[in-house]
Amino acid sequence: MQKFGRPISTTHRPWWPALAVWAVAWAIMLGLDGRFDLANMALILVLSAAVAAIWSKPWASLAASAAAILAFNFAFVPPRGAFSVDLRQHALLLVTMLTVSWIVTLLMARLRWHAAEATAHARRSDQLRLLGEALRAADTPADQGSVLQRALSELGGGPATLLLRSGGGVGSADDDGARFVGPVTPDEA
């Protein structure tokens, strides 16, 4: 018989690839220090923030981007070794880096949300298709009631009870011409 159960969540993502991306980016920037200008090294940082956002949770990616830009300011922006900025263009560079990194992070989060919604929609469509096939395969309305009761129990994660009205031979009925399909509590009986 077909299963109509709930889908298992698969939202866990490994954190180590993001950490590796940040480590490689910092190794490249430290290796290129003095050979390339500040704007080109800033592009490496923005690229690493975008790539690390693929594996990071949004809040972790936002925090890592902010921390990386502060560290970039401390390590590479004159005056080095301080969090102050001498030139307005360097301040604009830092603000732009942070803004672009955060926009990419938020776009990745939105992309993940849309992908999860599309997956859930496809899963619901498949569940409805399976239910339709099972209902079409049932010979009598009583069999259809059993299929529906089982599907509702599996989707709801607990017991479901249906009250079927008798009409045209729907199995054994009580005095009202109705019968229960599924577990019945004493209050319902």
Side-chain angles (χ1 to χ4, degrees):
M1 188 48 88
Q2 297 154 338
K3 288 291 242 179
F4 301 104
R6 291 183 186 193
I8 298 171
S9 175
T10 58
T11 58
H12 177 71
R13 290 184 302 275
W15 54 269
W16 65 266
L19 191 62
V21 166
W22 283 113
V24 168
W26 276 97
I28 291 171
M29 286 189 300
L30 290 171
L32 296 177
D33 188 22
R35 290 186 237 163
F36 285 92
D37 66 341
L38 195 60
N40 288 327
M41 290 182 27
L43 290 175
I44 295 169
L45 188 73
V46 171
L47 176 64
S48 64
V51 174
I54 294 171
W55 291 284
S56 301
K57 292 185 178 186
W59 62 267
S61 185
L62 291 172
S65 295
I69 290 169
L70 282 174
F72 182 84
N73 180 22
F74 189 82
F76 300 113
V77 177
R80 290 180 179 228
F83 288 109
S84 63
V85 178
D86 282 346
L87 301 175
R88 276 189 250 161
Q89 63 205 29
H90 291 160
L92 179 62
L93 176 69
L94 292 172
V95 169
T96 304
M97 288 169 48
L98 184 64
T99 303
V100 170
S101 297
W102 281 7
I103 287 172
V104 168
T105 296
L106 295 175
L107 287 173
M108 285 300 300
R110 186 150 171 86
L111 178 67
R112 278 191 203 106
W113 181 82
H114 281 293
E117 286 294 311
T119 302
H121 180 69
R123 202 172 291 129
R124 285 190 297 270
S125 295
D126 194 46
Q127 289 172 342
L128 285 173
R129 182 189 54 79
L130 289 173
L131 178 60
E133 289 173 1
L135 289 173
R136 275 192 301 279
D139 294 331
T140 65
D143 293 339
Q144 289 178 339
S146 296
V147 168
L148 180 60
Q149 183 273 331
R150 189 173 49 257
L152 289 173
S153 294
E154 290 174 4
L155 286 172
T161 303
L162 296 179
L163 176 63
L164 298 178
R165 303 292 290 171
S166 178
V170 179
S172 62
D174 60 9
D175 294 338
D176 291 342
R179 76 177 191 102
F180 288 101
V181 177
V184 180
T185 64
D187 295 339
E188 295 170 331

